[in-house]
Amino acid sequence: MGNGGSLCNNIGLKRQLTILVVGLDNSGKTSMSRALVGETLTDTVPTIGFSKFVTKQKGITINIYDLGGSSRIRDIWHNYFAECYGVVYVVDASDSQRLSEAHENLSSLMKHPILKGKPLLLLANKQDHFDALDEVDVADKLQLELLANVCQTPTRIEICCATQGTGKNIDPIIRIGFHWLVETIVRNFDKIDRRVTNDIASQKAKEDKEKDSRRARIERLKALQNEVEETVTQICVDPLNGIKNHFQPLEEITEEWNLPGSISETDRPQCMESPSGLTDLMSQAQIDQTEDLNGSEMTESGHIQNDFRGTISAPSEMTGSSSVRVPVLSRNDQVSSASPTAKKLNQRSNGKPLPPLTKNGKLSKQ
Ligand SMILES: Nc1nc2c(ncn2[C@@H]2O[C@H](COP(=O)(O)OP(=O)(O)OP(=O)(O)O)[C@@H](O)[C@H]2O)c(=O)[nH]1
Ligand SMILES: [Mg+2]
């Protein structure tokens, strides 16, 4: 049996693994991944999030997750660690200015508990640039040997040029390096696979827990919102017509009477014609309601409950007085139909009986 056969035996029925391609932005990760799967290399743009590539090697399906390297995207890399069996780290060997940043980044990756010890291929890319550092210098700048020992990580470094060609024309060093990575993973498959299975399960449990607490937070917010809306409805409901509040601008109220389809001029109560008329109506309403509350006009069922939940001061320009106490009606409140206010309201509704207030304090449609 050839090498391919033994690789497949090791990996069992799964025959599938995931490799992460990471490194700083502009290092050549997407170019390298594309070259590996035989895609065209033109029009490479910075990766936002990640790109997935799939290739096969000796009967094993390999999912390549090419993660964007910009600093903001690096913050989400950890979300992909759990399912990772091995890592390709790409460095722009021609950009010596950024090698210390690359070292910091590589060090935190290799020390991450989920990645620690998983096989690593380091590609010192862009070797076609005249000033590119070779593998000895890159390894030195990245302190690769030290990191590999500290983290007990099987590590290999290669120099390459990702843009040299794609598919069959790919830089052969990339293929050799990739082949080493897959072989190393497969040789340690049982151990790595156990870690991957456990890490995926605990990541899922963590995500489920976060989802639950997010859902609970949203429900709490919704309940709070409903409570606020209910309170606002109760405060804004007008005991006179059940819809408007006392603080609606007078221009709006008078404009409404002139709208097409509104009550005709002859049906319109005199008191609504001018602000002073409105003031009269409001003052009268206040007297009526006080009378009702005193029981003078209480009907059998005791319509208005003595339930002042708050005192609202109407603006003095509306009322002519410094403040007016406005009752906040409870859900079951009704205005006595015998009260003068009700009579005035009947006038406004063409003599039809006043509908009872609905749950939210508005007049029900009858
Ligand atoms: N000269 C040269 N240019 C390269 C090489 N590899 C990649 N490039 C160029 O470098 C630029 C960035 O390449 P990408 O493959 O998009 O880099 P990346 O690491 O995926 O970048 P992000 O997605 O932003 O993280 C592109 O213009 C590539 O054409 C190489 O080996 N030599
Ligand atoms: Mg990219």
Side-chain angles (χ1 to χ4, degrees):
M1 194 179 285
N3 196 22
S6 66
L7 274 185
C8 287
N9 288 347
N10 253 6
I11 204 165
L13 288 174
K14 267 196 174 165
R15 301 204 171 184
Q16 195 168 138
L17 48 88
T18 299
I19 287 172
L20 293 189
V21 179
V22 284
L24 303 186
D25 48 296
N26 199 48
S27 56
K29 301 178 291 298
T30 304
S31 306
M32 191 282 298
S33 306
R34 281 185 168 186
L36 208 54
V37 300
E39 278 187 18
T40 163
L41 296 179
T42 51
D43 303 333
T44 311
V45 290
T47 308
I48 309 296
F50 87 110
S51 306
K52 185 181 172 183
F53 299 90
V54 182
T55 185
K56 275 205 165 202
Q57 194 166 307
K58 312 259 171 149
I60 301 166
T61 302
I62 299 163
N63 299 312
I64 298 170
Y65 288 176
D66 160 33
L67 306 183
S70 76
S71 56
R72 280 174 63 198
I73 302 171
R74 275 180 244 160
D75 290 341
I76 61 156
W77 280 2
H78 64 90
N79 292 317
Y80 299 89
F81 290 174
E83 51 194 304
C84 156
Y85 286 78
V87 177
V88 178
Y89 194 91
V90 184
V91 175
D92 180 349
S94 69
D95 192 354
S96 53
Q97 303 279 331
R98 294 189 77 190
L99 282 177
S100 69
E101 184 186 356
H103 162 72
E104 291 297 324
N105 181 235
L106 177 67
S107 167
S108 69
L109 277 180
M110 289 179 77
K111 288 176 183 167
H112 192 285
I114 300 181
L115 293 183
K116 201 170 174 184
K118 290 180 180 173
L120 172 90
L121 169 66
L122 199 138
L123 294 177
N125 192 32
K126 303 200 183 180
Q127 289 296 322
D128 55 321
H129 280 273
F130 74 96
D131 54 350
L133 299 180
D134 64 15
E135 67 266 49
V136 176
D137 285 339
V138 171
D140 186 44
K141 297 265 185 208
L142 298 178
Q143 300 179 29
L144 192 59
E145 204 177 331
L146 178 70
L147 283 173
N149 282 313
V150 168
C151 304
Q152 292 289 290
T153 300
T155 305
R156 177 165 175 155
I157 182 168
E158 297 288 356
I159 48 169
C160 67
C161 174
T163 48
Q164 181 178 306
T166 183
K168 283 189 177 144
N169 298 320
I170 190 174
D171 180 348
I173 305 289
I174 295 177
R175 221 174 256 302
I176 290 168
F178 203 77
H179 187 76
W180 169 84
L181 182 66
V182 174
E183 255 192 1
T184 310
I185 292 169
V186 171
R187 237 182 288 118
N188 299 283
F189 189 77
D190 282 348
K191 207 169 97 189
I192 302 175
D193 189 51
R194 232 176 293 128
R195 282 179 64 184
V196 168
T197 309
N198 288 340
D199 288 340
I200 290 175
S202 32
Q203 185 169 342
K204 192 177 176 314
K206 196 176 153 204
E207 280 169 7
D208 287 349
K209 206 173 153 192
E210 277 168 7
K211 250 185 238 164
D212 285 349
S213 68
R214 216 172 20 243
R215 207 173 295 135
R217 220 166 42 236
I218 289 170
E219 272 164 21
R220 271 203 309 276
L221 278 173
K222 271 188 187 162
L224 191 69
Q225 194 181 346
N226 285 343
E227 219 173 280
V228 169
E229 275 174 9
E230 209 167 286
T231 311
V232 167
T233 308
Q234 284 175 355
I235 290 171
C236 291
V237 74
D238 185 338
L240 299 181
N241 63 13
I243 299 165
K244 302 287 179 306
N245 87 43
H246 286 301
F247 307 107
Q248 191 178 9
L250 282 172
E251 307 89 87
E252 270 183 39
I253 296 170
T254 48
E255 256 172 38
E256 267 180 39
W257 288 104
N258 292 323
L259 284 174
S262 68
I263 298 173
S264 69
E265 216 166 295
T266 46
D267 293 332
R268 197 182 305 161
Q270 289 284 305
C271 61
M272 294 305 287
E273 292 289 345
S274 67
S276 60
L278 182 68
T279 309
D280 291 342
L281 180 60
M282 288 180 70
S283 311
Q284 187 56 49
Q286 181 63 29
I287 295 160
D288 294 340
Q289 282 155 13
T290 313
E291 277 171 15
D292 281 342
L293 288 167
N294 290 336
S296 61
E297 297 221 15
M298 196 79 91
T299 61
E300 264 180 34
S301 52
H303 296 303
I304 293 185
Q305 294 165 10
N306 196 357
D307 181 18
F308 277 77
R309 296 188 193 164
T311 302
I312 302 165
S313 294
S316 56
E317 65 272 20
M318 279 181 69
T319 62
S321 63
S322 57
S323 80
V324 169
R325 276 168 63 79
V326 179
V328 179
L329 295 179
S330 70
R331 288 184 178 192
N332 299 319
D333 290 341
Q334 290 185 1
V335 178
S336 162
S337 60
S339 75
T341 308
K343 281 176 198 153
K344 283 201 176 86
L345 288 169
N346 276 346
Q347 220 184 339
R348 278 173 57 181
S349 59
N350 268 341
K352 284 181 204 151
L354 280 173
L357 293 173
T358 58
K359 263 187 169 185
N360 60 10
K362 291 183 176 170
L363 285 175
S364 65
K365 289 177 189 161
Q366 273 192 344

